[in-house]
Amino acid sequence: MIGIYFSGTGNSKYCIEKFLEEYGDNSLAYSIEQTEAITHIINHDEIVICYPVQFSNIPKILHDYIVTNSQLWKGKKIFIIATMGLFSGDGAGILARLLKKYGATIIGGLHLKMPDSISDERL
């Protein structure tokens, strides 16, 4: 299994690395912004994808990555981790449906509530 992630603040990167550490087979995680991520997706059948839910949706950069590389997902078994602040909406479900459209099998999903970075307090 390999990890693929998008992380704006580092939370999603941390979560996928902890998941893979617990999974226990010395798997590595790659940012969708790293060019070698595609090579690793091609060479692995089991993938965990982690990302932050943005506005109850998939981040646009991840959506575009999935669509642009649509041929990569056929036959892949994917576990989805969606990190969230206050509300996840259907973050993991939205990505699951998109990946299924391109032939992936979703083997599970997890929403992780993270510390929120939004505050209504005056400085």
Side-chain angles (χ1 to χ4, degrees), residues 1 16 20 24 30 32 35 37 52 61-62 79 82 94 101 110 119:
M1 178 177 277
I16 198 166
L20 291 170
Y30 301 90
I32 62 171
T35 55
I61 189 171
L62 180 60
F79 187 89
I94 293 168
K101 176 180 170 183
L110 178 65
S119 175

Side-chain angles (χ1 to χ4, degrees), residues 94-111:
I94 293 168
L95 183 59
R97 288 187 293 279
L98 181 62
L99 288 165
K100 282 182 183 179
K101 176 180 170 183
Y102 298 122
T105 300
I106 306 306
I107 58 175
L110 178 65
H111 283 182

